[in-house]
Amino acid sequence: MSDPTLSPSVLRVTATLAALGARGEVRTLAGSARTARDAAEALGVEIGQIASSLLFRTVPPVVDPWHGRHELEGSGEPLLVLTSGAHRVDTHKVADLLGVAGLDRATPDDVRAATGFAIGGVAPVGHPEPLRTLVDVALARYEVVWAAAGHPYVVFATTYEELVRITGWQPAEVA
């Protein structure tokens, strides 16, 4: 395997982190960190310290009761949720918080288009365009949080406060 830190995605993330004044260490793992469990095991940390990047598409509220949700699929905006690896996102709770009809999991193509990364390496920064992001308040319990850095084998350390700052969005209860 070639050096993953030289991949264009990782270089974009590290440049973005530097530009934003992030101080965390970027680390290459011996194995893939495609899941929060994989990352936690590789780093020797609690699974809750992993900031999993999950992309959803919002489902706009139905204006015409004669038309169902199925006709609105794909019409919403992308939403990145950075959630603690210790739990799952409650999509109903997040939809209510945002005032939308629902959330749909994004397709792999949606993920790459919105974030510029493949699933398994989606970083919280370095996207082609600003991306609405929610940061799970459960991550605040940990002194150090780890997030993907643009490649399944590369992660970076940060703090909850820094993660909220560098994403430029809002903390939220997502579980």
Side-chain angles (χ1 to χ4, degrees):
M1 173 179 79
S2 62
D3 184 354
T5 62
L6 299 177
S7 80
S9 294
V10 174
L11 293 173
R12 185 171 73 244
V13 172
T14 55
T16 303
L17 290 170
L20 293 170
R23 297 185 304 269
E25 158 197 12
V26 174
R27 186 182 294 179
T28 303
L29 304 175
S32 171
R34 287 187 190 275
T35 68
R37 183 167 311 288
D38 292 344
E41 287 176 8
L43 291 163
V45 301
E46 292 180 45
I47 195 169
Q49 289 179 258
I50 306 303
S52 296
S53 299
L54 303 175
L55 191 76
F56 297 90
R57 291 201 70 81
T58 60
V59 177
V62 176
V63 179
D64 180 353
W66 295 103
H67 293 92
R69 175 184 166 126
H70 68 281
E71 293 185 18
L72 299 174
E73 286 181 11
S75 65
E77 298 296 321
L79 171 71
L80 183 63
V81 178
L82 303 176
T83 188
S84 168
H87 57 249
R88 299 176 63 88
V89 173
D90 181 336
T91 56
H92 298 291
K93 183 177 199 173
V94 173
D96 288 346
L97 173 73
L98 300 176
V100 297
L103 297 178
D104 290 330
R105 284 298 291 260
T107 67
D109 289 340
D110 288 340
V111 172
R112 187 171 292 277
T115 68
F117 305 112
I119 292 174
V122 177
V125 297
H127 310 132
E129 299 291 329
L131 188 57
R132 186 175 193 180
T133 303
L134 298 179
V135 182
D136 188 352
V137 296
L139 292 166
R141 287 184 270 192
Y142 302 98
E143 188 174 320
V144 177
V145 175
W146 293 87
H151 187 282
Y153 287 76
V154 185
V155 295
F156 72 95
T158 188
T159 65
Y160 170 76
E161 293 79 13
E162 184 175 73
L163 194 56
V164 170
R165 180 182 63 78
I166 65 177
T167 61
W169 287 94
Q170 70 189 73
E173 286 190 33
V174 301

